[in-house]
Amino acid sequence: MLTTKLRPLAGAALATSLTIGAPAVFAQDNALPGTVVWTTYDTGGAMHSAAVAISSALKQNDGVNLRVISAGNGAAQQSTLKAGRADFVLAGFDVYFAQEGAFQFGAADWGPQPVRLVMTSMTDQGFGLAIAPELAENVKGPGDLRGLRIAFVQGSPSIAGALQALVIACGDMTWDDVQRVEVPGFGASVDAYINDQADVYFTSTNSGTSVKADASSRGLGWVPVPFANETCWEAIRATDPRWIQKVVTEGVNIPEGGIEMASYPDMLLNTTADRDAGYVQAMLKAIYDNFDDINGATPTTYGLELDRQILSYTVPFHDGAIAYFKEAGVWTDEMQAHNDRLVARQDALKAAWDAVVAMNISDEAEFAAAWKAKRIEMLEAGGFDVPVRDW
């Protein structure tokens, strides 16, 4: 059982990834092209701030123009890879759902995507449920959220999955037990909270938007996820494989000694499997060659440090990233075996998807049912975990 602030960490959970990726951009002699395009969350969030800090360092030191595209939810972010509008996405856990063909990615025009990780981030902050302080006094865990208004971001599998795990599964509830307030994007969920249209929303403890919410008339508190609640944690892990136990010590209104929460890597830089390996390796090299300027540029960029990388997670790493980590001396044979297994899992998902598409099912509900059944069948046949059966 992992209970830590997670400094150097080489492994965490287990799980999965696959679509027709964007056309690969080829680097010459493992050098970055003059313009690189990233997509991430809206302005004001930690990911956008980190992307801008990296962009500034690369522009100033290497003359590379890193353009940052904003997209308010995970499906919109990953669509920029699929359409060839971006080379990389700095995302949350939506990359896993894209790999799985889950939630919006289970629609007929999506399917499991061939995504690959490039780098991760692990800070001392956490992800969790923000709540109004006056309500937090009576909330000792997710099971105490019954009847409250929960901000639900449309088009964000990562946030939808988080709420399903942390609120519904851990709290042993259904959506009928809370008031679901649907909003179009993450920024809108923050606004809904600030404007007293929602009592709880999902966010990171150390983001600029958390500072903004705390400065509002509502203030900001946090819902703990106590480690001693084994039933809750069993339900979380059976619902969503991203979560690890973490004592969060950094963020807005975090008490001395920290809070027991569920968390996962702060940021996941990802691309498609067909992206040129030299390009990906050059992207990582540029980031770490300029890391003295990037580190500390925002409150969370230190989490990108090489010794904080989670190199065995739920989505496989790109061959170009692996080449960089091998040169840095941090990639092991065990990591490679884990990565190969994740790629094989993606292959099983791709085969399952192709089999369903070949059925030529026009009805959306029938297609979704066929995909769910075939996904479970093929994963189990390959000996892979099926962490969630309700997608």
Side-chain angles (χ1 to χ4, degrees), residues 39-70:
T39 304
T40 193
Y41 278 104
D42 298 329
T43 57
M47 292 189 204
H48 192 277
S49 297
V52 170
I54 293 169
S55 174
S56 177
L58 266 59
K59 181 67 174 179
Q60 181 175 355
N61 299 335
D62 299 338
V64 173
N65 179 28
L66 195 163
R67 292 180 51 228
V68 180
I69 301 174
S70 297

Side-chain angles (χ1 to χ4, degrees), residues 18-218:
L18 275 129
T19 193
I20 298 173
V25 177
F26 292 90
Q28 299 297 320
D29 300 322
N30 284 12
L32 287 178
T35 299
V36 177
V37 182
W38 285 21
T39 304
T40 193
Y41 278 104
D42 298 329
T43 57
M47 292 189 204
H48 192 277
S49 297
V52 170
I54 293 169
S55 174
S56 177
L58 266 59
K59 181 67 174 179
Q60 181 175 355
N61 299 335
D62 299 338
V64 173
N65 179 28
L66 195 163
R67 292 180 51 228
V68 180
I69 301 174
S70 297
N73 62 62
Q77 291 163 8
Q78 293 299 321
S79 70
T80 64
L81 281 183
K82 184 181 179 185
R85 293 177 51 232
D87 308 315
F88 300 90
V89 170
L90 188 63
F93 203 65
D94 293 298
V95 59
Y96 172 79
F97 296 121
Q99 159 187 284
E100 293 292 303
F103 297 104
Q104 285 87 340
F105 301 110
D109 59 343
W110 271 102
Q113 303 293 297
V115 285
R116 295 288 189 274
L117 295 183
V118 178
M119 69 187 310
T120 67
S121 171
M122 181 59 78
T123 66
D124 296 328
Q125 69 162 0
F127 289 92
L129 304 170
I131 187 171
E134 69 272 15
L135 298 174
E137 295 177 3
N138 298 315
V139 172
K140 306 305 179 185
D144 298 324
L145 298 178
R146 281 178 172 79
L148 297 185
R149 298 170 297 172
I150 313 294
F152 185 93
V153 179
Q154 298 170 323
S156 177
S158 181
I159 295 178
L163 296 176
Q164 187 68 37
L166 301 185
V167 178
I168 304 305
C170 175
D172 192 23
M173 293 185 283
T174 71
W175 282 107
D176 291 334
D177 295 315
V178 296
Q179 300 177 54
R180 189 160 112 171
V181 180
E182 297 197 350
V183 294
F186 169 72
S189 71
V190 182
D191 292 339
Y193 172 82
I194 291 174
N195 295 328
D196 198 15
Q197 297 165 331
D199 302 312
V200 176
Y201 72 102
F202 180 78
T203 188
S204 62
T205 62
N206 203 33
S207 71
T209 55
S210 294
V211 175
K212 175 183 175 182
D214 184 51
S216 74
S217 59
R218 299 205 75 190

